[in-house]
Amino acid sequence: MTKQFSSVWTREERPPKAPGLSRDQIVRAALDLLDAEGVEGLSMRKLGARLNAGATSIYWHVANKDELLELCYDRVWVDVVVLDPETAHWRPALSTFAHSLRSTILRHPWLARLLGRIPGLGPNLLSVSDRIMRLMQRAGFEGLEISFATGTVMAYVMGQTIPEVTWRETMGKQEIQPGDLMNILEKTTADDFPELFAAFRDTRDMDPLETQRMSFSYGLECVLDGLEARVNA
Amino acid sequence: MTKQFSSVWTREERPPKAPGLSRDQIVRAALDLLDAEGVEGLSMRKLGARLNAGATSIYWHVANKDELLELCYDRVWVDVVVLDPETAHWRPALSTFAHSLRSTILRHPWLARLLGRIPGLGPNLLSVSDRIMRLMQRAGFEGLEISFATGTVMAYVMGQTIPEVTWRETMGKQEIQPGDLMNILEKTTADDFPELFAAFRDTRDMDPLETQRMSFSYGLECVLDGLEARVNA
DNA sequence: ACCTGAACACCGTTCAAGT
DNA sequence: ACCTGAACACCGTTCAAGT
């Protein structure tokens, strides 16, 4: 075996810097950017830079920024846990689903901004919906109630978690403690809203994260109780 | 009484074009723009133009765009109906509140985009919260449960209505009917998600707006049933 | 088939300057 | 006290041109 002559001129040109961009690669980079800097931090130019590409190269793989966001949005649903519809009991399955969805949203706070903007049509979200509906159908729900019940749980989780994210972000950005905020508000408006501030005071000495978790679980049990009352009606 | 000599030069200059801008005036114009063109349609420049002012004049009255959005967000809560906490029964009161909040959001679709972005701290939202909490307290809820129960209802309404708005907007923008969309999806993915598409088919011949209203009411009754089970526990 | 850069039509916000 | 215009540092997207 003889060593071959080697130089730039003899070596075949490699496929230009990796096989070029792929949609998958773009979405992964976008997710990184979203997790690191939020929706506001994701721009086509920054994303291009992170991929060592021109900003406008992305438009070959994706029609526009909204489509890119649809892809990102759908991607996170792979992490949401839905127990096996064939074997799990519907109530604990719905409960783990709800907590799993909540923690996914809290892990990717930018989701809170997309829920009012992106229609959920991706395969991962559809798959989650389908599994939950199978769960409900096996539980004894029938006809329209299958999707109504499913929608109720999803609505509750999102509605509870979105403002939760908004709070965490504003607290974080302003570097303020919930207690401080309460003190500021209290001075100006406590007299006008007695019941509201009474409730604030009740939670003053509690860990706000723990309070939010309790609040979430409380409402979830309400919803599940309401469903349970209908399951055999 | 003698008629006085009058000319531009004798008459005192009026305060320049109205008493200038006021925060209230700015917010009203911003709401008009939001209702007409949505969140994307509201820019400081367009808003300035609508007020016959330079775009940057607004910054004298308002720190930045996010603060302006906070003001807009709070303003719509004046339309949300909460029956008198001293006389109304909690359950019908919560039901009218829920439907009223839903229709307010549907009337101002841009709200769906702000819920994940703006912390609700304005007087009108606080006032609504306070009235509901008084309602719950009179109903027999105690301590933390007062705010947990209130939060549950608000979360449900928002979580159900936000995606509802997103759907209406994407349908509207793409000028597509729900049936058409279903046909498109069905071709590619119906086999993968049998239960989901079975549900779609059940609603195929129904008025989608009516279906959404039914779905909303179904979940609301679930939530209220769950609360009712706790009211005297 | 895939990527690029220049260019267009926008943004929010700051700030010195005006009245 | 209130308003202005110019300027800065960004945007998303189109498109002719390159390989």
Side-chain angles (χ1 to χ4, degrees):
Chain A
M1 216 191 260
T2 64
K3 215 172 191 175
Q4 286 190 258
F5 177 65
S6 169
S7 112
V8 228
W9 311 113
T10 60
R11 201 163 33 233
E12 268 210 354
E13 201 183 349
R14 291 245 220 109
K17 48 173 162 180
L21 293 176
S22 73
R23 184 177 274 203
D24 191 73
Q25 195 185 152
I26 291 170
V27 173
R28 271 208 313 277
L31 285 168
D32 284 350
L33 215 42
L34 285 168
D35 283 337
E37 307 186 33
V39 185
E40 323 227 76
L42 173 63
S43 78
M44 300 305 260
R45 288 174 222 262
K46 272 197 219 168
L47 184 56
R50 175 172 289 233
L51 292 161
N52 290 325
T56 56
S57 312
I58 299 161
Y59 286 87
W60 178 261
H61 303 273
V62 142
N64 52 40
K65 194 181 178 183
D66 271 352
E67 267 198 15
L68 175 60
L69 289 176
E70 282 193 71
L71 292 169
C72 293
Y73 173 63
D74 189 62
R75 189 62 68 92
V76 302
W77 285 89
V78 295
D79 294 338
V80 177
V81 178
V82 185
L83 301 181
D84 181 2
E86 307 304 324
T87 62
H89 185 53
W90 70 272
R91 187 157 172 151
L94 241 43
S95 180
T96 54
F97 160 71
H99 281 100
S100 169
L101 175 53
R102 171 169 178 263
S103 69
T104 300
I105 298 176
L106 293 177
R107 244 189 346 264
H108 305 291
W110 45 272
L111 277 172
R113 295 278 288 268
L114 295 193
L115 291 174
R117 182 168 169 187
I118 303 291
L121 277 178
N124 293 311
L125 171 51
L126 293 187
S127 162
V128 167
S129 302
D130 187 66
R131 287 168 68 87
I132 295 180
M133 286 179 141
R134 266 149 68 196
L135 216 41
M136 301 314 267
Q137 197 245 3
R138 250 195 24 121
F141 288 91
E142 286 170 7
L144 290 180
E145 292 209 29
I146 295 174
S147 54
F148 288 175
T150 304
T152 299
V153 178
M154 299 195 92
Y156 171 71
V157 177
M158 291 179 176
Q160 190 80 272
T161 314
I162 292 172
E164 217 176 314
V165 168
T166 314
W167 280 112
R168 292 185 187 204
E169 300 214 308
T170 46
M171 309 260 80
K173 224 175 303 177
Q174 317 236 346
E175 287 174 17
I176 209 176
Q177 300 295 319
D180 303 341
L181 177 61
M182 207 197 104
N183 288 334
I184 297 168
L185 283 177
E186 196 159 20
K187 267 181 211 128
T188 61
T189 52
D191 293 343
D192 300 332
F193 313 121
E195 197 58 40
L196 182 65
F197 279 88
F200 280 178
R201 274 187 286 270
D202 283 350
T203 60
R204 163 167 258 154
D205 298 322
M206 300 172 62
D207 174 18
L209 264 53
E210 181 55 25
T211 312
Q212 286 180 333
R213 237 191 58 85
M214 284 175 64
S215 180
F216 179 79
S217 297
Y218 180 91
L220 180 60
E221 294 304 318
C222 276
V223 171
L224 296 181
D225 284 355
L227 290 177
E228 184 139 24
R230 279 162 177 74
V231 74
N232 291 322
Chain B
M1 220 193 260
T2 63
K3 215 171 192 177
Q4 285 191 259
F5 177 66
S6 170
S7 113
V8 228
W9 311 112
T10 61
R11 202 164 32 232
E12 267 208 358
E13 201 181 351
R14 292 246 219 109
K17 49 171 163 182
L21 293 176
S22 74
R23 182 177 276 202
D24 191 73
Q25 194 184 152
I26 291 170
V27 173
R28 271 207 314 277
L31 286 167
D32 283 352
L33 216 42
L34 285 168
D35 283 336
E37 307 186 33
V39 185
E40 323 229 75
L42 173 63
S43 78
M44 300 306 259
R45 287 174 222 262
K46 273 197 217 167
L47 185 56
R50 177 172 287 233
L51 292 161
N52 290 324
T56 57
S57 311
I58 298 161
Y59 286 87
W60 178 262
H61 303 272
V62 142
N64 52 40
K65 194 182 178 182
D66 271 352
E67 267 198 15
L68 175 60
L69 289 176
E70 282 193 71
L71 292 169
C72 292
Y73 173 65
D74 189 62
R75 189 63 68 94
V76 302
W77 285 89
V78 295
D79 294 339
V80 177
V81 178
V82 185
L83 301 181
D84 180 2
E86 306 304 324
T87 61
H89 185 52
W90 70 273
R91 188 157 172 151
L94 240 43
S95 180
T96 53
F97 160 72
H99 281 99
S100 168
L101 175 54
R102 172 169 178 264
S103 67
T104 300
I105 298 175
L106 294 178
R107 243 186 350 263
H108 305 292
W110 45 272
L111 277 173
R113 296 277 288 267
L114 295 193
L115 292 174
R117 181 169 169 186
I118 302 291
L121 277 179
N124 292 311
L125 170 51
L126 293 187
S127 163
V128 167
S129 302
D130 186 66
R131 287 168 67 87
I132 295 180
M133 285 179 146
R134 265 149 69 195
L135 216 41
M136 302 312 267
Q137 196 245 4
R138 250 196 21 122
F141 287 91
E142 286 171 6
L144 289 179
E145 293 209 28
I146 296 174
S147 53
F148 287 175
T150 304
T152 300
V153 178
M154 301 196 90
Y156 171 71
V157 177
M158 291 179 176
Q160 190 80 273
T161 314
I162 290 172
E164 217 176 314
V165 168
T166 314
W167 280 112
R168 291 185 189 205
E169 300 214 307
T170 47
M171 309 260 80
K173 225 176 300 178
Q174 317 237 344
E175 287 174 18
I176 209 175
Q177 300 295 319
D180 302 341
L181 177 60
M182 206 196 103
N183 288 335
I184 296 167
L185 283 178
E186 197 159 20
K187 266 179 213 130
T188 61
T189 52
D191 293 343
D192 301 330
F193 314 120
E195 198 57 41
L196 182 65
F197 279 88
F200 280 178
R201 273 187 287 272
D202 284 350
T203 60
R204 162 166 258 154
D205 298 322
M206 300 173 61
D207 173 19
L209 265 52
E210 181 55 26
T211 312
Q212 286 179 333
R213 236 192 58 84
M214 284 175 64
S215 181
F216 180 79
S217 297
Y218 179 91
L220 180 59
E221 294 304 318
C222 276
V223 171
L224 297 181
D225 285 355
L227 291 176
E228 184 140 23
R230 280 161 177 74
V231 73
N232 291 322

